[in-house]
């Protein structure tokens, strides 16, 4: 089982990312579970969402305290939330940032493997809005091998409809092609 | 494509899955208050009615009290009727809830269990449903999304059984079930129709054959009516088993009134209701690996209480650790523990009882809570007594 925690701000799609990744995994014949850190929804406030993917049925419903992966949709969250809290020793941080991994490591003291991707630029270029969820899904899928562009096609279609799904597919694929784990 | 046409599991929010199950059950009337503290269940039902997938009358009433009033009327007129509520909504509805079973109206209601004020809280515990515990409805607690989906269909079948004719509350934990995305395998529509034929009753409001319902019950009849209603509720238990068994035969998923997990040689048995039960099974597995003789009993049916099944499930245990998600202010134990202690009192070989209250107002219930509970029970020793509930995870 792989356990993933998403950090973002209300409106950026952290919850949607977890949901779509769960739907993608279930569609590929795996077991998955996604849920938000529940609370009154507020646009712009820090938001956490959780995702479990497994080859076996998932029974546990507790929050994820020791994730394998942390995905950061908005770099500003790192200034107000300890995003790496509880991250396993073998864990991975996937961060939306225009800065290289080394700079973030220095600024925040991260000791884990880091993938950075300039998701904001890709989102603005492809989607024309600063919503980074499908870009970060692409980076996560590539780095962790949890989904392919073909796997997400139907879930994106169902969620975004014919007008927006192709753009989101493109955003996913841009990240999927470019994301790579820090050496 | 509609998710219910998929022959493979679909990743879907459990609230939406319940709405889809109501669609598969071909409910004829849905009346609900559409604003907080409502869930996505009725929001999605309004979509399904609006887009023509479900041919039902959708009544967006002005309050929960009106929601159940409308349900009483539509069920009395012979329509298959559904509603859903939660928390403060159930509080406002309470006046009407107690009427449905006495009028023998087979309404199905999903309750996404959430705390009641004060302080204001929108998160999960069982304080809403426990405050109307004695309402007289058949009551289930769902453990996971698949079960909540299946149980929606089973509830209609059971409620409308001519030998039952009682309303059913399907409890599902707010957020930890209602807002989880998980894999759901939808029962095929043709098989649902076979399992759940259209609702028909001779006892309904019909202008060509007028009858009266809900009349005054003077002292000369009130006691008898109450006794008759309780007789019906108690007698419904065997039809719950029947509805489960027939569902199992058709759909391949067999449910029981009381589930046991690794209880055979267990010295300590934890008793739970609702969605913490699966987390508890993981804790049991981990404790078993460490050599603890521990098991789990999970109550799926809460009313009518499965007395014999519970006693059989815990037989041989030295300790019972009963978990409550609600507490009874001013009393030493929560409602589930109080009832189980009462039921065990006359047993010749009864276990020691202790009560742990946890997961109030959305406090997370990690598997460590169950390990802590077993440690506490062991610490009581052979002759120790707990005497008073312990609230797990209180920050002091």
């Amino acid at each position: 089982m792989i356990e993933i925690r998403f950090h973002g701000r209300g409106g950026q799609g952290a919850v949607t990312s977890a949901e779509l990744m769960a739907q993608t995994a279930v569609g590929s014949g795996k077991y998955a579970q996604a849920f938000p850190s529940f609370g009154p929804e507020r646009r712009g406030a820090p938001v956490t969402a959780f995702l479990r993917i497994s080859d076996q049925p998932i029974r546990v419903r507790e929050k994820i305290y020791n994730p394998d992966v942390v995905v950061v949709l908005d770099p500003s969250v790192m200034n107000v939330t300890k995003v790496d809290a509880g991250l396993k020793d073998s864990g991975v941080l996937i961060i939306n940032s225009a800065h290289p991994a080394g700079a973030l490591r220095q600024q925040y003291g991260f000791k884990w493997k880091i993938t950075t991707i300039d998701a904001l630029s890709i989102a603005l270029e492809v989607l024309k809005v600063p919503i980074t969820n499908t870009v970060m899904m692409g980076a996560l899928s590539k780095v962790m091998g949890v989904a392919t562009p073909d796997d997400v096609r139907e879930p994106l279609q169902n969620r975004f409809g014919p007008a927006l799904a192709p753009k989101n597919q493109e955003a996913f694929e841009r990240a999927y092609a470019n994301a790579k784990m820090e050496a | 494509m509609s998710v219910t046409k998929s022959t493979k599991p679909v990743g879907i929010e459990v609230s939406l899955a319940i709405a889809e199950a109501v669609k598969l059950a071909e409910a004829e009337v849905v009346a609900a208050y559409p604003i907080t503290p409502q869930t996505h269940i009725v929001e999605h039902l309004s979509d399904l009615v609006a887009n023509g997938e479900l041919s039902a009358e959708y009544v967006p009433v002005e309050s929960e009290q009106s929601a159940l009033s409308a349900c009483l009327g539509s069920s009395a007129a012979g329509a298959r009727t559904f509603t859903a509520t939660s928390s403060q909504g159930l509080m406002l509805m309470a006046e009407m809830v107690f009427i449905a079973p006495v009028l023998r109206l087979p309404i199905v209601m999903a309750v996404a269990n959430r705390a009641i004020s004060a302080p204001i809280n929108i998160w999960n515990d069982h304080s809403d449903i426990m405050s109307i515990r004695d309402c007289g409805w058949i009551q289930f607690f769902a453990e996971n999304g698949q079960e909540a989906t299946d149980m929606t269909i089973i509830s209609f079948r059971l409620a409308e059984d001519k030998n039952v004719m009682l309303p059913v509350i399907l409890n599902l934990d707010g957020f930890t079930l209602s807002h989880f995305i998980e894999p759901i395998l939808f029962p095929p529509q043709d098989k649902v129709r076979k399992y759940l034929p259209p609702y028909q009753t001779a006892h309904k409001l019909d202008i060509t054959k007028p009858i009266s319902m809900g009349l005054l019950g003077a002292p000369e009849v009130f006691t008898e009516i109450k006794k008759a209603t309780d007789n019906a509720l108690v007698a419904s238990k065997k039809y719950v088993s029947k509805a489960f068994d027939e569902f199992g035969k058709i759909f391949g998923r067999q449910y029981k009134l009381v589930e046991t997990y690794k209880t055979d040689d267990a010295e300590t048995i934890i008793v739970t209701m609702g969605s913490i039960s699966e987390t508890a099974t993981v804790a049991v597995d981990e404790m078993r690996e460490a050599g603890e003789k521990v098991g789990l009993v999970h109550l799926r049916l809460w009313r009518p209480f499965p007395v014999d099944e519970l006693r059989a499930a815990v037989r041989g245990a030295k300790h019972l650790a009963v978990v409550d998600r609600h507490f009874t202010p001013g009393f030493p134990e929560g409602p589930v523990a109080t009832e189980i202690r009462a039921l065990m009192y006359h047993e010749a070989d009864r276990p020691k009882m202790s009560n742990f209250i946890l997961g109030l107002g959305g406090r997370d219930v990690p598997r460590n809570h169950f390990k802590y509970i077993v440690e506490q029970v062991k610490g009581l020793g052979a002759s120790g007594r707990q005497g008073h509930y312990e609230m797990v995870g209180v920050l002091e």
Side-chain angles (χ1 to χ4, degrees):
Chain A
M1 180 159 70
I2 180 169
E3 296 188 304
I4 302 165
R5 193 172 64 212
F6 294 80
H7 293 276
R9 289 186 179 276
Q12 291 173 335
V15 175
T16 304
S17 299
E19 287 183 13
L20 284 169
M21 290 304 297
Q23 287 170 344
T24 300
V26 173
S28 321
K30 293 178 192 160
Y31 296 90
Q33 179 193 72
F35 54 101
S37 185
F38 312 112
E41 287 82 357
R42 295 151 298 169
R43 186 168 286 269
V47 166
T48 311
F50 303 94
L51 169 68
R52 291 188 171 99
I53 301 175
S54 175
D55 294 327
Q56 305 293 325
I58 299 168
R59 290 179 288 162
V60 68
R61 281 175 193 277
E62 65 192 33
K63 286 181 189 171
I64 294 173
Y65 295 97
N66 299 114
D68 300 286
V69 184
V70 166
V71 180
V72 180
L73 280 81
D74 184 325
S76 75
V77 171
M78 294 189 290
N79 298 325
V80 293
T81 304
K82 191 169 160 39
V83 296
D84 57 339
L87 188 58
K88 282 185 185 142
D89 288 344
S90 58
V92 174
L93 279 162
I94 302 174
I95 302 170
N96 164 23
S97 174
H99 300 294
L104 298 176
R105 188 184 304 283
Q106 199 168 13
Q107 188 177 352
Y108 297 102
F110 295 142
K111 56 178 184 176
W112 291 271
K113 281 196 171 183
I114 299 173
T115 291
T116 61
I117 184 151
D118 188 358
L120 181 62
S121 295
I122 296 174
L124 287 173
E125 191 185 321
V126 178
L127 302 170
K128 316 289 184 207
V129 287
I131 298 178
T132 52
N133 53 2
T134 42
V135 185
M136 295 307 290
M137 284 170 58
L140 168 68
S141 298
K142 175 66 171 294
V143 170
M144 299 309 298
V146 289
T148 67
D150 276 345
D151 293 337
V152 297
R153 204 173 303 278
E154 193 178 320
L156 293 184
Q157 190 70 36
N158 292 341
R159 172 60 63 106
F160 297 109
L164 291 174
K167 291 276 180 207
N168 279 283
Q169 182 77 27
E170 188 187 339
F172 179 97
E173 290 181 10
R174 280 278 292 275
Y176 192 84
N178 291 317
K180 54 177 182 290
M181 188 86 86
E182 185 185 31
Chain B
M1 187 183 80
S2 166
V3 288
T4 51
K5 291 202 172 82
S6 174
T7 55
K8 293 190 303 179
V10 178
I12 186 171
E13 186 186 290
V14 173
S15 284
L16 271 52
I18 291 172
E20 294 284 345
V22 172
K23 180 189 82 179
L24 288 170
E26 298 177 306
E28 294 164 292
V29 175
V30 177
Y33 180 64
I35 308 172
T36 297
Q38 191 50 268
T39 62
H40 295 152
I41 300 172
V42 298
E43 179 182 309
H44 191 57
L45 275 167
S46 73
D47 287 341
L48 293 172
V49 172
N51 71 16
E53 282 189 66
L54 173 61
S55 174
E57 191 72 34
Y58 185 92
V59 192
V61 291
E62 75 280 13
S63 77
E64 282 85 357
Q65 210 231 22
S66 298
L68 198 55
S69 298
C71 289
L72 293 172
S74 68
S75 186
R80 181 169 288 163
T81 301
F82 178 84
T83 189
T85 191
S86 186
S87 181
Q88 304 301 120
L90 187 63
M91 296 299 96
L92 185 53
M93 188 184 271
E95 181 185 353
M96 296 297 146
V97 176
F98 288 69
I99 295 171
V102 184
L103 301 191
R104 309 294 295 273
L105 298 174
I107 301 161
V108 174
M109 172 159 71
V111 178
N113 301 127
R114 285 156 55 169
I116 51 177
S117 299
I120 295 171
N121 178 291
I122 59 167
W123 291 268
N124 168 229
D125 67 26
H126 292 171
S127 55
D128 54 5
I129 191 66
M130 287 302 166
S131 58
I132 60 150
R133 182 191 62 176
D134 298 335
C135 62
W137 293 45
I138 294 171
Q139 295 182 46
F140 294 118
F141 278 86
E143 183 179 20
N144 57 39
Q146 184 68 58
E147 183 179 325
T149 306
D150 292 343
M151 209 61 74
T152 302
I153 293 162
I154 292 169
S155 293
F156 282 110
R157 160 71 188 257
L158 173 66
E160 296 168 5
D161 187 320
K162 290 289 171 288
N163 299 296
V164 177
M165 289 300 286
L166 285 168
V168 178
I169 288 174
L170 172 59
N171 290 291
L172 67 147
D173 283 319
F175 296 104
T176 50
L177 264 185
S178 67
H179 286 57
F180 264 51
I181 310 268
E182 53 188 84
I184 306 289
L185 183 61
F186 285 101
Q189 180 73 73
D190 57 331
K191 287 187 177 175
V192 173
R193 285 199 183 115
K194 189 176 151 206
Y195 178 73
L196 179 67
Y199 173 47
Q200 286 175 327
T201 177
H203 306 284
K204 61 180 177 183
L205 299 179
D206 179 347
I207 51 170
T208 62
K209 282 195 296 179
I211 58 167
S212 295
M213 287 188 186
L215 302 178
L216 181 75
E220 292 76 14
V221 297
F222 185 88
T223 304
E224 289 69 22
I225 289 169
K226 286 299 190 189
K227 179 62 179 160
T229 308
D230 188 47
N231 286 351
L233 184 59
V234 171
S236 72
K237 191 179 78 174
K238 69 177 175 187
Y239 299 100
V240 178
S241 294
K242 187 165 169 256
F244 283 177
D245 291 347
E246 288 179 16
F247 188 90
K249 264 185 234 151
I250 295 176
F251 301 100
R253 287 185 293 280
Q254 178 69 50
Y255 296 107
K256 289 190 274 186
L257 311 187
V258 174
E259 296 286 348
T260 57
Y261 187 74
K262 300 193 175 176
T263 51
D264 279 353
D265 63 340
E267 292 179 0
T268 300
I269 291 179
I270 304 168
V271 183
T272 56
M273 297 201 302
S275 69
I276 62 169
S277 306
E278 286 194 318
T279 303
T281 64
V282 178
V284 166
D285 285 349
E286 291 177 3
M287 286 186 275
R288 282 272 175 184
E289 274 173 33
E292 296 285 355
K293 288 192 172 176
V294 58
L296 179 80
V297 165
H298 156 220
L299 294 178
R300 179 170 287 118
L301 180 65
W302 171 236
R303 286 293 187 273
F305 196 97
V307 176
D308 300 333
E309 292 80 0
L310 185 275
R311 283 188 181 135
V314 302
R315 195 155 290 144
K318 290 181 184 159
H319 287 279
L320 282 193
V322 182
V323 173
D324 268 286
R325 307 289 312 281
H326 171 60
F327 73 110
T328 304
F331 194 79
E333 292 191 326
V336 184
T338 302
E339 293 195 358
I340 292 178
R341 182 184 291 280
L343 291 172
M344 299 308 291
Y345 184 77
H346 292 290
E347 294 292 282
D349 185 21
R350 59 179 187 266
K352 290 202 180 315
M353 297 268 311
S354 41
N355 181 211
F356 297 88
I357 292 172
L358 46 72
L360 297 184
R363 179 68 61 85
D364 195 28
V365 183
R367 71 198 98 157
N368 285 347
H369 276 10
F370 300 104
K371 296 175 185 172
Y372 173 84
I373 285 170
V374 171
E375 284 303 313
Q376 293 304 106
V377 166
K378 278 168 62 185
L380 293 173
S383 56
R385 291 163 61 88
Q386 189 194 35
H388 194 278
Y389 70 76
E390 178 174 350
M391 224 173 240
V392 180
V394 181
L395 306 173
E396 289 173 353

